[in-house]
Amino acid sequence: AGRRPPISTELTTHPLTTVTPLPPKLSTMDAAEEETGQVNLVSKEGDSFTVPADVAKMSELVKTMMDEDAEDEVAEIPLPNVKASVLKKVIDFCEHHKTEPMTEIEKPLKSAVMSEVVQKWYADFVNVEQVLLFELILAANYMDIKPLLDLTCATVASMIKGKTPEEIRRTFNIANDFSPEEEAQVREENKWCEES
């Protein structure tokens, strides 16, 4: 009579099916542990700032570098383009942003007064000397921190909003390199901008 073949305990796959192995785990830390970890951000001068990983990861640059160095217990991230004084302000921004996210900045700006555009803390944060403001813009751009870049650029835009070219030159200490004839020609060519 008909005998059945023995039942195999081995897995068999269909010839058209492929089995893709799971990728190996990159780090011995689990996700929750990684978020509570620490990272050292190192400034241009070599000063080290220990920061919670979730705060540091607001920077896309730092996040990418941390992902590449996943095996290190405490990652050390060199930031050779950022001065210590500026890095300290950047860290202050990121720490505050974690507890009180900044409201979205409307474009175009609804006001030249930053406290009418964002919360008071953020308006006070960018109420700094122009040199520091521009260093913060460069740091936010280099470190790829979008909310900080938006805030600092909006601050510069608010300094320009509603001003004449002469007022803008005075605000940013820009020399007028046009001769009176060249300036008159540019004004004539762009007269349509001032109509309305």
Side-chain angles (χ1 to χ4, degrees), residues 59 61 78-82 137-145:
S59 162
L61 173 70
L79 300 167
N81 295 357
V82 186
I137 290 173
L138 293 173
N141 186 51
Y142 170 68
M143 294 176 69
D144 196 359
I145 305 172

Side-chain angles (χ1 to χ4, degrees), residues 155-172:
T155 303
V156 172
S158 74
M159 296 165 77
I160 293 171
K161 189 173 178 66
K163 292 189 176 172
T164 65
E166 292 78 23
E167 291 170 327
I168 294 169
R169 282 192 201 103
R170 279 195 302 275
T171 300
F172 297 106

Side-chain angles (χ1 to χ4, degrees), residues 45-96:
E45 300 88 345
D47 296 348
S48 184
F49 297 87
T50 302
V51 179
D54 63 329
V55 171
K57 284 185 173 185
M58 275 192 66
S59 162
E60 291 297 322
L61 173 70
V62 171
K63 183 178 179 182
T64 301
M65 293 171 86
M66 286 176 70
D67 290 346
E68 289 172 1
D69 294 338
E71 281 79 46
D72 296 348
E73 244 178 63
V74 176
E76 188 165 280
I77 309 293
L79 300 167
N81 295 357
V82 186
K83 291 196 273 185
S85 59
V86 176
L87 183 54
K88 176 72 179 107
K89 288 276 290 177
V90 169
I91 292 167
D92 290 346
F93 174 88
C94 293
E95 287 174 339
H96 187 83

